[in-house]
Amino acid sequence: MMEYVRAFLAGGLLCALAQLAIDRGKWTPAGVASALVILGVLLGFSGVYDRFAAWAGAGATMPLSGFGYFLAKGVIVEPRPDGLVETGAAVFRFAGALFAFIVAGSFFAALICKPKG
């Protein structure tokens, strides 16, 4: 039961901070999304996000910072990618399933919700 509470608190705190940056900090939603992904990459490379994800579970991996963490994790797990192309392949080898799920989920959500934009 405590895993759910920690995931709810961690994910809620990340999302609340992002919303505050949009509302009070005058950031654009795209700027906050980019900042969260970059923050996840930086914290993933430093090893801090590993401990946070172990404690918070899905509350750390589901927000956009978790996506950045998975991108960084792909480069860390790969033995030694040589060059830019192999580094990019290493990133998507690890996070490819997550990326495919996000794209497919967005597509089906658009079909169901019928966006006006």
Side-chain angles (χ1 to χ4, degrees), residues 88-102:
V91 166
F92 288 106
R93 197 172 299 127
F94 193 81
L98 177 65
F99 190 66
F101 177 75
I102 291 169

Side-chain angles (χ1 to χ4, degrees), residues 86-114:
E86 288 187 24
T87 302
V91 166
F92 288 106
R93 197 172 299 127
F94 193 81
L98 177 65
F99 190 66
F101 177 75
I102 291 169
V103 170
S106 300
F107 174 75
F108 288 116
L111 288 178
I112 293 169
C113 298
K114 298 184 174 110

Side-chain angles (χ1 to χ4, degrees), residues 45-84:
F45 277 126
S46 68
V48 173
Y49 214 88
D50 286 328
R51 291 189 300 267
F52 179 58
W55 179 80
T61 57
M62 291 309 292
L64 281 174
S65 56
F67 181 66
Y69 164 69
F70 282 122
L71 293 177
K73 196 74 166 168
V75 175
I76 293 170
V77 169
E78 187 68 25
R80 269 188 273 165
D82 297 325
L84 189 60

